Amino acid sequence: MKTLKKSTIFLALISVGMSAQDTIMPLWPKSIPNQHQSNEEEVISKSDDGILWVTNVQKPTLEVYLPSKRNMTGQAVVIFPGGGYYGLAYDWEGTDIAKALTANGIAGIVVKYRLPRSKSITEGKNVVPLQDAQRAIRLVRSKSEKWNIASNKIGIMGFSAGGHLASTLGTHYSESVYEKQDEADDLSARPDFMALIYPVITLGAPSTHTGSRTSLLGEKPTNDEVDYLSNEKHVNKDTPPTFLLHAMDDDAVPVENSIMFFDALREHNVPTTMHVYPTGGHGFSLALKDKKLKGWIDLFFDWMANLD
């Protein structure tokens, strides 16, 4: 038994040594805004199809994956997993994506962000995910020298509801939504680029994802609340260059979400690329088992390589 424990410790140390660059760090150094302590507990579970789900997030974090220094491009992508603002598909649309990025020399940083349904959130439930998103990119920017990342090459990627959060950050990055906690909060929260993968964009009928809207705004939101987070309405000339990906047969988040955002970006002369596949449905992540879809990540890498 003692030998088994020693072996386990030894293997753990090897594992830590091999992943010394992979770090989990708290998002907020002091108090977490709009939150109070409650008896609610964070839940980590696996779905029937094996996806690691996180619900009731209490302490938002960054999980950082860095490629070896010699392979680094200097680019970084901050990743927002989806889950309808009810949970986070944490490996499927988070850590799996980060690992794919690091294999191509790009830092991948997964955000475990708070969800509006949490009983620990005291006020401003609709703005809490944006607080975490703004803080996440500022914190990454503050660590750019330490992590060998170029401070002007930090983008974001979001999936489904995480795509809504990413597009919210890309269109509301300049708004003050929390009190400064440290020097990182003096830095810009503007992403240098965005990748929105089968994203929720609008909260308006008929094209929204009803579950995401209800989780974020409740059952009976006002028109102003809906308009504020219908992000196709907030694009301007300073919105970051955007990569959009969707499937035409997505019956959860209609493809019109990406089309509306593309049209708004084009109207304001924001560089954008959109790929719409005829099939694929929703929530396909890397789509490694789909012959037609599995190459989408390579299209994204090519797009990143040609950013100005």
Side-chain angles (χ1 to χ4, degrees), residues 277-280 284-299:
Y277 286 80
T279 60
F284 48 75
S285 182
L286 292 169
L288 296 181
K289 295 183 179 180
D290 187 310
K291 292 181 180 179
K292 293 180 179 179
L293 267 173
K294 66 180 182 181
W296 79 258
I297 193 77
D298 294 320
L299 296 174

Side-chain angles (χ1 to χ4, degrees), residues 3-17:
T3 303
L4 178 60
K5 286 184 177 179
K6 287 180 180 178
S7 298
T8 303
I9 292 170
F10 178 68
L11 290 171
L13 288 172
I14 291 175
S15 175
V16 170

Side-chain angles (χ1 to χ4, degrees), residues 179-198:
E179 296 292 329
K180 174 181 173 179
Q181 293 204 4
D182 59 18
E183 291 77 11
D185 289 325
D186 291 326
L187 301 174
S188 172
R190 181 185 182 274
D192 294 301
F193 55 88
M194 295 194 288
L196 308 178
I197 315 302
Y198 41 86

Side-chain angles (χ1 to χ4, degrees), residues 16 39 57 86 102-103 116-117 121 148 175 177 203 230 250 254 271 300:
V16 170
N39 60 0
V57 173
Y86 176 79
T102 58
R117 287 176 176 263
I121 296 173
N148 298 301
E175 296 177 19
V177 294
L203 296 188
S230 290
D250 189 330
F300 172 66

Side-chain angles (χ1 to χ4, degrees), residues 11 18 37 56 75 102 108 116 119 144 170 192 217 269 274 279:
L11 290 171
M18 290 176 66
Q37 286 209 343
N56 298 342
Q75 295 169 311
T102 58
K119 295 176 182 177
S144 58
D192 294 301
L217 298 181
N269 296 313
M274 181 169 64
T279 60

Side-chain angles (χ1 to χ4, degrees), residues 28 31-35 114 122 128 131-132 177-179 181:
W28 299 98
S31 60
I32 301 173
N34 294 38
Q35 183 166 311
R114 288 173 295 158
T122 56
V128 161
Q131 290 175 334
D132 289 353
V177 294
Y178 65 87
E179 296 292 329
Q181 293 204 4

Side-chain angles (χ1 to χ4, degrees), residues 95-229:
T95 55
D96 283 1
I97 307 302
K99 292 168 187 175
L101 293 169
T102 58
N104 283 267
I106 302 161
I109 299 148
V110 184
V111 186
K112 186 177 72 173
Y113 58 91
R114 288 173 295 158
L115 301 158
R117 287 176 176 263
S118 172
K119 295 176 182 177
S120 300
I121 296 173
T122 56
E123 60 183 353
K125 290 178 180 287
N126 64 325
V127 80
V128 161
L130 178 59
Q131 290 175 334
D132 289 353
Q134 284 191 2
R135 174 66 188 178
I137 197 163
R138 286 176 170 137
L139 187 56
V140 171
R141 196 157 268 139
S142 74
K143 302 290 185 183
S144 58
E145 184 175 354
K146 178 181 178 181
W147 293 343
N148 298 301
I149 295 168
S151 62
N152 62 345
K153 293 183 178 181
I154 300 170
I156 57 177
M157 177 181 283
F159 296 79
S160 192
H164 182 265
L165 178 53
S167 67
T168 303
L169 177 59
T171 53
H172 298 267
Y173 59 83
S174 62
E175 296 177 19
S176 178
V177 294
Y178 65 87
E179 296 292 329
K180 174 181 173 179
Q181 293 204 4
D182 59 18
E183 291 77 11
D185 289 325
D186 291 326
L187 301 174
S188 172
R190 181 185 182 274
D192 294 301
F193 55 88
M194 295 194 288
L196 308 178
I197 315 302
Y198 41 86
V200 178
I201 295 293
T202 188
L203 296 188
S207 297
T208 192
H209 178 246
T210 305
S212 294
R213 183 178 67 185
T214 301
S215 292
L216 194 56
L217 298 181
E219 294 286 349
K220 296 181 179 180
T222 66
N223 289 336
D224 286 346
E225 288 172 331
V226 170
D227 287 348
Y228 174 63
L229 291 174

